[in-house]
Amino acid sequence: MTFISIEFLLFLAITVLLNYIIPHRVRWILLLVASYVFYASLSIQFILLLLISTAFTYFTGIFIEKQETKKQKKKAMVVGISVLLFFLGWFKYFNFVNESLRSLATFMGWNYAIPYQEIVLPLAISFYTFQAVSYLVDIFYGKQKAERHYGYFSVYFAFFPQLVAGPIERARKLIPQLKVEQRLSYENLVYGMKRIAWGFFKKTLIADRLAPIVASVYDSPNPSGSEIVLATILFSIQLYADFSACSDIAIGSARMLGINLTENFKQPHFAVSISDFWSRWHITLSTWLRDYIFFPLCKRKKKRSEIYFAIVITFLVSGIWHGAAWTFVIWGLIHGFYRVFGDATKSYRESMASFIRLDRSPVLHRWLKIAITFLLVCFSRVFFRSDTVSQAFEHAKLFLSISSWSPVGMIKAFEIFPLFDLLLFIFFFIILQLFQYIERNNGSAWEFLSKHSTFTRLAFYIFLIFSVLVLGVTGDGFVYGGF
Amino acid sequence: MRNIEKYRNAFIHVLELEEDEVVENLELAESAEWDSIAHMALISEIEDVFDVSLDSEWMTEFNSYQSGIELLERLGVDFINE
């Protein structure tokens, strides 16, 4: 039962209906059962791991709180986090480390006997582990009281709208909302449905329509440079549509239950710098990394070089979190380099902009920054999308080759699209851009729509639903669902 | 040295500002010197000078000269009756 299915919509409708019928005091039972049913429908073999991780985090939280001295609390927290990271490391990184060591041993001519292990990655482990780590750290710092109600804590740990791919929530935001009686609200129901419909639109009409086209280039043994450039740009659009759709559906589903989840995206492809990009893309992961990796690494650091080092390490962790492969490690390091290079050259770049009088045309300057940031992000995604490091470097070389960007080559590259798919993509991409344009100028496209006549609104909603039903396609789940 | 002087000196020392550039309406990211990287160094200096520890929420809350004073007052640093 993935988000993009009739089964999920039925499941959500029944859960929402029951949620408002039954008394508040037993709603946590409904939400817990619904969350475990949802998880089991996707990955029944790892439900036990989810239950163990929940129980372990719950009791560790209480144990940390009960310690008398700061030193004891710290010891309990470190042990707790180590166990959680051991689970994550075993399932997600064992083979990565094992195979890397084997390659190193082969290169050095050493004997290496540990065989490859068939380990399946438990669904959502990266997401719920990060939530658990933040919970334990917050208890240690006294920002979070250890939750004593096992039921509410378990719902926080496994809340089905955000379990599989976030947003990564903090306990102090989610648990109080679960405890407060959420009354049936017309606004919440309608807003939730609109966000879900918009998520379906982005996922089935943009992301999953682009996925096979991008794959046809990235899986091809001999793609042309222009094809790589085009496929990488399309992959950026696909990834945004895919992941933001997942967040839309999560936020919409939770809102129908009266719960507000944190927004995860703010039009990241309109960022004017790499640091701006990371304040708009996967916001809940960025803030998690900032609070639990970057800030602690910066403690007592006063030299710029030391803070640059902390930035690179933070992005390295981000890369490793995304996937157990050297391609993700390199992707993370590229972003760390971008961020440091961007900061170190800021004054030179500003002087240059002033010298060529670009700063006298702020609109042009802004759009130039947006275009450069987008292309830098696209380049990094060559590594994100490629299957192996050698393939990634081949693709990166093609991406950076000037001949790959020739207009003739780029026009020819569009042949990767069947004509009908190209027309559909252009049409729906324009709709997406119009929606985002309205959001940039009006704050919320939904509020903008609400100011229009009932006929206009209904026409838009019917257009969304019919487009999904008639032209939508579904692929292999969400990209971030695999992390 | 009074606390307010220690506080001002942290700005002068870390952000490499002149005495008269440390003004009460100074804000993070409003000047080239006080960018996000310098902000982390400034926090480290303030933590050392006043022997306090700022957690992540307070770090994000500290976004101006004035908010820094308010934050330190909440942590027990007295800027008025010292």
Side-chain angles (χ1 to χ4, degrees):
Chain A
M1 181 168 53
T2 66
F3 272 175
I4 306 295
S5 66
I6 296 290
E7 291 90 336
F8 175 74
L9 293 178
L10 278 172
F11 165 80
L12 178 66
I14 292 166
T15 309
V16 170
L17 184 71
L18 289 175
N19 185 62
Y20 292 112
I21 289 174
I22 61 176
H24 169 65
R25 66 175 188 281
V26 290
R27 278 182 191 166
W28 66 266
I29 300 172
L30 171 75
L31 292 180
L32 191 57
V33 171
S35 296
Y36 288 152
V37 167
F38 179 71
Y39 190 86
S41 76
L42 290 165
S43 177
I44 195 159
Q45 71 269 39
F46 290 115
I47 191 100
L48 187 63
L49 181 68
L50 178 67
L51 294 171
I52 292 169
S53 300
T54 306
F56 177 78
T57 310
Y58 172 81
F59 289 112
T60 308
I62 293 171
F63 186 70
I64 292 171
E65 199 171 69
K66 282 188 172 170
Q67 300 308 300
E68 285 178 1
T69 66
K70 196 89 180 163
K71 202 174 171 184
Q72 289 169 327
K73 282 178 192 283
K74 192 171 188 176
K75 204 182 266 179
M77 177 191 70
V78 169
V79 171
I81 291 174
S82 302
V83 172
L84 289 167
L85 293 182
F86 172 76
F87 286 147
L88 181 64
W90 173 260
F91 287 104
K92 191 164 179 173
Y93 301 108
F94 179 84
N95 274 329
F96 170 58
V97 174
N98 192 22
E99 292 309 299
S100 298
L101 289 175
R102 189 192 314 286
S103 300
L104 179 69
T106 309
F107 181 74
M108 302 297 282
W110 298 334
N111 186 26
Y112 190 79
I114 302 173
Y116 178 84
Q117 307 286 321
E118 277 299 331
I119 300 172
V120 179
L121 180 67
L123 185 73
I125 190 169
S126 305
F127 287 91
Y128 68 67
T129 301
F130 267 32
Q131 280 203 174
V133 169
S134 70
Y135 176 74
L136 297 183
V137 174
D138 286 354
I139 290 173
F140 168 73
Y141 281 114
K143 286 193 277 183
Q144 167 75 46
K145 277 197 171 299
E147 177 56 48
R148 295 303 202 270
H149 192 297
Y150 192 74
Y152 282 120
F153 179 78
S154 301
V155 178
Y156 159 68
F157 209 91
F159 189 45
F160 74 88
Q162 47 91 236
L163 173 62
V164 176
I168 301 168
E169 292 291 352
R170 310 286 167 91
R172 61 182 178 277
K173 175 164 183 184
L174 200 50
I175 293 176
Q177 291 191 73
L178 296 168
K179 287 183 173 175
V180 169
E181 181 170 2
Q182 306 291 347
R183 295 188 184 281
L184 181 63
S185 148
Y186 173 78
E187 284 76 24
N188 278 344
L189 282 184
V190 171
Y191 181 79
M193 284 193 274
K194 285 191 284 197
R195 284 295 291 262
I196 292 170
W198 185 237
F200 270 66
F201 179 90
K202 284 194 277 187
K203 174 68 175 162
T204 65
L205 294 163
I206 297 178
D208 283 355
R209 282 200 159 274
L210 282 178
I213 290 158
V214 172
S216 73
V217 175
Y218 267 84
D219 295 345
S220 158
N222 288 310
S224 74
S226 300
E227 284 174 349
I228 283 293
V229 169
L230 180 62
T232 306
I233 291 170
L234 292 175
F235 175 62
S236 286
I237 297 165
Q238 177 206 331
L239 192 63
Y240 168 68
D242 186 282
F243 193 17
S244 68
C246 186
S247 291
D248 282 329
I249 297 168
I251 291 167
S253 304
R255 184 65 76 86
M256 289 178 78
L257 294 160
I259 306 293
N260 280 307
L261 296 182
T262 309
E263 289 295 337
N264 231 0
F265 292 91
K266 283 183 186 164
Q267 303 198 15
H269 292 156
F270 289 89
V272 293
S273 66
I274 291 297
S275 65
D276 187 27
F277 173 79
W278 282 104
S279 66
R280 294 159 172 261
W281 174 273
H282 203 177
I283 296 165
T284 55
L285 175 68
S286 298
T287 50
W288 192 99
L289 291 168
R290 182 197 67 191
D291 293 349
Y292 301 104
I293 306 286
F294 178 63
F295 282 166
L297 284 175
C298 284
K299 276 278 169 194
R300 309 286 166 187
K301 302 287 186 296
K302 294 178 190 172
K303 288 183 190 157
R304 233 176 161 79
S305 56
E306 293 172 326
I307 295 163
Y308 285 162
F309 183 70
I311 289 173
V312 173
I313 297 295
T314 305
F315 277 107
L316 184 64
V317 172
S318 174
I320 293 169
W321 178 88
H322 276 83
W326 286 104
T327 47
F328 288 108
V329 172
I330 297 169
W331 170 81
L333 288 174
I334 288 172
H335 274 274
F337 171 75
Y338 282 165
R339 184 69 185 80
V340 170
F341 183 79
D343 183 79
T345 60
K346 197 176 173 189
S347 60
Y348 300 111
R349 287 184 290 113
E350 280 170 359
S351 304
M352 183 63 80
S354 175
F355 180 69
I356 60 171
R357 300 188 173 187
L358 195 56
D359 54 353
R360 293 190 185 183
S361 314
V363 176
L364 177 66
H365 194 188
R366 183 179 168 77
W367 279 100
L368 194 64
K369 286 200 248 182
I370 290 171
I372 291 170
T373 306
F374 179 69
L375 290 175
L376 288 171
V377 168
C378 282
F379 175 70
S380 72
R381 283 178 176 156
V382 169
F383 291 85
F384 196 99
R385 180 62 182 81
S386 297
D387 294 329
T388 63
V389 172
S390 58
Q391 191 193 53
F393 277 106
E394 290 281 318
H395 292 156
K397 215 165 101 182
L398 287 170
F399 188 90
L400 293 176
S401 163
I402 293 171
S403 61
S404 301
W405 295 81
S406 78
V408 177
M410 289 299 288
I411 291 167
K412 193 164 165 36
F414 273 92
E415 286 175 6
I416 60 174
F417 271 106
L419 183 62
F420 180 64
D421 284 354
L422 177 62
L423 293 174
L424 278 184
F425 167 69
I426 291 170
F427 177 69
F428 290 119
F429 185 67
I430 289 171
I431 302 286
L432 174 66
Q433 293 312 313
L434 278 175
F435 190 90
Q436 295 197 330
Y437 175 80
I438 293 168
E439 293 230 306
R440 285 200 298 279
N441 292 293
N442 296 276
S444 163
W446 304 113
E447 273 179 31
F448 174 82
L449 263 175
S450 68
K451 289 173 191 155
H452 286 73
S453 66
T454 312
F455 176 78
T456 310
R457 278 182 284 141
L458 271 180
F460 181 70
Y461 303 145
I462 290 168
F463 163 75
L464 279 188
I465 293 164
F466 268 81
S467 301
V468 170
L469 289 176
V470 178
L471 297 165
V473 293
T474 53
D476 299 328
F478 290 91
V479 176
Y480 270 70
F483 297 150
Chain B
M1 192 186 285
R2 292 166 63 219
N3 283 336
I4 192 69
E5 286 164 1
K6 288 184 196 168
Y7 184 67
R8 287 177 61 81
N9 279 349
F11 280 78
I12 293 166
H13 175 61
V14 176
L15 305 184
E16 296 177 1
L17 294 172
E18 297 299 327
E19 183 98 20
D20 59 350
E21 287 176 317
V22 183
V23 288
E24 287 193 359
N25 58 2
L26 199 62
E27 288 191 8
L28 172 65
E30 290 295 308
S31 68
E33 291 83 4
W34 195 2
D35 60 10
S36 56
I37 307 288
H39 187 57
M40 300 312 301
L42 181 62
I43 287 168
S44 295
E45 178 75 5
I46 286 172
E47 284 182 328
D48 275 356
V49 168
F50 294 104
D51 194 23
V52 292
S53 181
L54 302 185
D55 70 13
S56 57
E57 271 175 27
W58 290 341
M59 283 186 193
T60 44
E61 213 178 289
F62 174 29
N63 56 13
S64 66
Y65 178 89
Q66 210 54 44
S67 67
I69 290 177
E70 287 160 17
L71 202 60
L72 287 169
E73 281 177 334
R74 286 198 335 245
L75 290 167
V77 178
D78 192 348
F79 285 95
I80 300 164
N81 305 311
E82 53 178 320

